[in-house]
Amino acid sequence: MMTNRTSKIPKYVQAFFESCEIDEKINRFSFFMIRADGVVLYHNNNLANSLSKSSIGALLSGVWQASKALSEFIPKEEAKEGYRLSFDTSSQGIYIVPISTDMEELYLGLIYHDEVNPGFIKNKMREMAASFSEFLNQELKDHRATQEKTNKAFDKSEYLFGDISDAEMDRLFAFIKN
């Protein structure tokens, strides 16, 4: 079930990509922001082939989930860096990086080819994931502050009959019980 906060994620994704300048080295390839269930929240319209964006989203999510399950076999040590997934040759491949959020799992996926420096675009993808995480955290912080102001506006002491007790309410409506 989606909470109110998670239902706002597509709006935040759209706002992020409208407000940032995507590096041209990344933008020339197909990249996606997806949820853990494979739903595509964003793609840059540079589809690598005839596969639909929903198929690619499901495949990227599936390969991440499978890799995550396999990583459970790795002895647990203090992780200094988060995992990322790369299936590539020296010039083409697929790269998936998770986005840190307290709401739900999100990933950035990139399908690239004919790239002279894949390390550079992988670094740019990690930077984009970190930038989106910071953007989302700030948006959620602002949203919570707005919600708190709204909640304070409806302070019970400002209501008509705000000081009335339960006993007084019972006496007011005692005639209904008869």
Side-chain angles (χ1 to χ4, degrees), residues 111-166:
I111 301 170
Y112 63 95
H113 55 87
D114 299 324
E115 176 55 43
V116 176
N117 189 354
F120 178 80
I121 60 172
K122 290 175 183 179
N123 187 51
K124 289 294 183 186
M125 287 292 286
R126 288 190 300 272
E127 288 174 3
M128 188 186 308
S131 293
F132 179 75
S133 180
E134 290 172 18
F135 175 83
L136 183 61
N137 288 336
Q138 185 60 49
E139 289 294 317
L140 293 174
K141 183 179 175 183
D142 294 346
H143 179 71
R144 282 190 289 269
T146 302
Q147 290 295 90
E148 287 175 10
K149 285 179 185 175
T150 303
N151 290 343
K152 285 181 183 177
F154 294 108
D155 188 9
K156 231 181 168 182
S157 65
E158 295 179 14
Y159 289 144
L160 184 62
F161 306 118
D163 296 340
I164 197 164
S165 69
D166 288 341

Side-chain angles (χ1 to χ4, degrees), residues 46-66:
N46 294 331
L47 291 178
N49 59 28
S50 63
L51 279 176
S52 71
K53 69 176 185 172
S54 59
S55 296
I56 291 173
L59 290 168
L60 288 172
S61 175
V63 78
W64 180 267
Q65 297 299 323

